[in-house]
Amino acid sequence: MTAFSTLLLSTALLLASLTTAAPIGTPHSTVIPLTTKTFDSTVTTDSANTLWLLKFYAPWCGHCVALSPILDQAASHLAGKLSIGKIDCTIEKKICKGKFDVRGYPTLKYYRDGEFSDYPLGRDLDSIVSFGEKMSQSAVKVVKDVGRVYEILVGGANGAVAYVVYDPKEQTEEQEESGIDKSGATEEEKEATKLLQSTERTRVFGQVARKYQAQGSFGLLSPSIDKASIAKVLGVGETNKIPDAGFIARIEEDVPTKFLTGDVINTEAFAEFIKETNIAVMTELGGHNFRFASRRGKPLAIGVYNPNEEIKTSKFRKEMKQYAVSGQYKEDYVWGTMDGIKWEKFVSQFGITKAGLPEVVILDAPERTYWQDSSVLSVAEFIKAVKDGEIESRLQEKGPKNPLEEFSQLFITYMPWSLFALLTLFVVVFWLALPSTNPIRPVAPSREEEESKKDK
């Protein structure tokens, strides 16, 4: 869809739109249009729909149009678990700009427990459905077999981060007559709730896990697990490295475990620990997480690869991760990989070509600065060359803008005056193009013309 056609579509939708409030108290199975008048009553006060995914969009945005059928399917599949709403930012500027400062389209946010947060996953159907399923479940899973901890918490996904809590004082027996048993929760959920409420450490873990459920996976190690098994799986070697009083830790397969340390373990300390560590040592970068990864206070070290060259890519990934785990300058960068074929247009602005893959580029996104040199093949050598100043930084150039897209955005910005001007222009052009409706009357010949005819 061209920028001009989407502009016409936005105009037509603006003229034709009639918004009705969504029913309150009934789980939604369709995408709900939200306005300034209906937003709060529909999203924040409806007890039947407590978890929302919100799409902030503009009708002229091609990516927004492409996302619409995906959200329609997800809304039907997740009825009763996740509600989906959409806000037309060309009309509802008070919400988009005033309340959420939306700067790009589409912007996705989710709402739960009185808070709005950025949606952190992919925009394909599977990712959205997985998000809805995950967020509708308990934030913490009980792990009874520590050998399966990665399988239980992250589905065995390589490069996924999880957080675990262990407290030998955990227990459930004394809470058997509590309201937990009378709830409609499953037995597994009841057990998890009792364990989480049994000690101060587990209570802190449960509260923070609920808040950050969308950004991570959380597990409670059963008190029945022996310390030797825990030490083996967490890779700490000896059991004396497992604190006797219990612990909260960040785990990632094939990466050293990080323990939350400090004299006081509270919600603030654990939340800060998550913010600092909630990204894989080496993560796959894409449209859904690039902004998150590039704004963590460090430059990105990106390994760009060709997925069609499996052997070369596998070796390159292994080399990248090895440096990210134990390299001399591992702490100076956020490490990631990127599909150089899928994101060919993006990486080309750094001088990276398909023929040169794989290779490393360092990008300081906020400063629009990068370091690249195709002649340096080793990851360690490349990083050292950057540190030694042998590879100099370059300024990332801004790409040319599409004039039609710029005009479309200006048109939206100055509505309704721009709409009035456009309609006026249409009327004037239409009027000028119409044939005259006045009959053409014959002109009487002059006296000179009549005398000339008589002479002939």
Side-chain angles (χ1 to χ4, degrees):
M1 183 177 290
T2 66
F4 184 69
S5 60
T6 51
L7 174 61
L8 292 179
L9 176 60
S10 67
T11 303
L13 290 175
L14 177 65
L15 294 174
S17 61
L18 291 173
T19 305
T20 57
I24 303 298
T26 303
H28 303 308
S29 59
T30 60
V31 178
I32 305 299
L34 298 168
T35 68
T36 303
K37 292 182 178 180
T38 64
F39 187 88
D40 287 335
S41 61
T42 304
V43 174
T44 63
T45 61
D46 186 357
S47 59
N49 299 278
T50 57
L51 174 63
W52 283 83
L53 178 65
L54 303 171
K55 169 191 171 185
F56 298 85
Y57 74 100
W60 49 259
C61 164
H63 293 295
C64 302
V65 175
L67 184 59
S68 292
I70 295 175
L71 294 182
D72 288 337
Q73 294 180 62
S76 176
H77 186 88
L78 294 170
K81 298 178 180 178
L82 171 72
S83 301
I84 301 179
K86 61 180 181 179
I87 302 95
D88 184 345
C89 292
T90 66
I91 302 174
E92 308 303 336
K93 295 182 180 180
K94 187 175 181 180
I95 298 177
C96 298
K97 292 296 183 182
K99 188 177 181 71
F100 293 102
D101 192 26
V102 174
R103 299 186 179 185
Y105 306 119
T107 290
L108 296 181
K109 294 181 178 290
Y110 72 92
Y111 170 84
R112 186 173 73 172
D113 296 342
E115 294 187 2
F116 294 91
S117 305
D118 292 332
Y119 169 74
L121 302 181
R123 297 179 178 185
D124 57 286
L125 181 61
D126 288 342
S127 296
I128 293 172
V129 170
S130 296
F131 174 80
E133 297 282 2
K134 175 184 179 180
M135 296 294 287
S136 63
Q137 299 173 0
S138 173
V140 181
K141 295 181 179 180
V142 176
V143 179
K144 297 181 179 181
D145 180 358
V146 71
R148 297 179 55 235
V149 63
Y150 293 105
E151 175 189 346
I152 294 171
L153 297 185
V154 297
N158 188 29
V161 174
Y163 296 89
V164 293
V165 62
Y166 173 77
D167 194 324
K169 297 178 182 179
E170 299 165 13
Q171 50 82 32
T172 62
E173 289 78 6
E174 295 181 5
Q175 302 181 46
E176 289 182 355
E177 297 302 320
S178 69
I180 298 173
D181 292 291
K182 300 177 183 179
S183 69
T186 65
E187 292 303 315
E188 182 179 357
E189 291 172 336
K190 292 176 183 178
E191 179 186 16
T193 302
K194 290 178 180 180
L195 289 171
L196 286 171
Q197 293 183 0
S198 63
T199 74
E200 182 61 26
R201 188 188 311 275
T202 55
R203 280 193 292 273
V204 166
F205 188 85
Q207 291 170 17
V208 178
R210 169 78 179 178
K211 182 175 181 178
Y212 289 93
Q213 184 177 2
Q215 288 82 24
S217 299
F218 301 85
L220 182 148
L221 302 182
S222 171
S224 63
I225 302 175
D226 63 277
K227 290 178 64 176
S229 297
I230 294 175
K232 181 179 179 181
V233 172
L234 298 190
V236 297
E238 303 172 4
T239 57
N240 60 9
K241 293 184 178 180
I242 300 294
D244 291 331
F247 62 84
I248 291 174
R250 172 206 185 273
I251 62 173
E252 180 182 350
E253 202 161 11
D254 300 324
V255 173
T257 297
K258 290 185 179 181
F259 291 93
L260 173 59
T261 58
D263 297 331
V264 179
I265 303 298
N266 53 31
T267 55
E268 291 78 11
F270 184 27
E272 190 62 31
F273 181 63
I274 292 175
K275 292 177 183 178
E276 293 175 356
T277 62
N278 191 28
I279 187 170
V281 164
M282 192 174 75
T283 188
E284 181 67 15
L285 297 170
H288 66 287
N289 65 355
F290 184 83
R291 181 179 175 84
F292 169 75
S294 64
R295 282 162 172 74
R296 295 182 65 83
K298 301 177 183 180
L300 281 172
I302 308 173
V304 187
Y305 63 90
N306 185 343
N308 300 321
E309 298 180 345
E310 296 182 4
I311 297 177
K312 187 184 291 187
T313 294
S314 177
K315 182 180 178 181
F316 178 66
R317 283 175 175 272
K318 185 176 181 180
E319 182 186 1
M320 281 282 295
K321 186 167 184 177
Q322 183 176 357
Y323 193 98
V325 171
S326 58
Q328 181 180 359
Y329 300 106
K330 63 180 181 180
E331 299 296 339
D332 292 358
Y333 303 99
V334 174
W335 298 85
T337 53
M338 179 175 283
D339 185 334
I341 304 302
K342 181 178 181 180
W343 302 103
E344 182 176 8
K345 184 177 180 181
F346 173 76
V347 300
S348 66
Q349 64 186 311
F350 309 119
I352 297 176
T353 63
K354 179 180 177 181
L357 299 180
E359 71 170 279
V360 183
V361 61
I362 290 179
L363 172 64
D364 187 338
E367 298 297 326
R368 301 187 65 82
T369 304
Y370 71 97
W371 292 257
Q372 182 268 342
D373 189 334
S374 301
S375 66
V376 183
L377 302 179
S378 164
V379 174
E381 290 176 359
F382 179 85
I383 299 299
K384 187 175 186 304
V386 170
K387 289 295 185 180
D388 292 344
E390 296 175 9
I391 300 177
E392 296 184 352
S393 64
R394 283 178 269 179
L395 190 63
Q396 181 184 353
E397 296 183 2
K398 294 183 179 181
K401 293 185 177 181
N402 185 320
L404 283 177
E405 289 185 358
E406 286 192 87
F407 173 73
S408 299
Q409 294 186 28
L410 286 172
F411 178 86
I412 297 300
T413 301
Y414 292 102
M415 291 235 279
W417 306 112
S418 56
L419 176 60
F420 176 77
L422 182 62
L423 291 176
T424 302
L425 178 62
F426 282 165
V427 170
V428 171
V429 172
F430 181 74
W431 180 78
L432 292 174
L434 282 178
S436 176
T437 56
N438 296 323
I440 300 177
R441 297 178 180 179
V443 179
S446 64
R447 178 176 300 177
E448 290 78 7
E449 289 177 335
E450 289 181 350
E451 291 178 353
S452 175
K453 287 180 181 180
K454 289 178 181 181
D455 293 340
K456 291 180 180 179

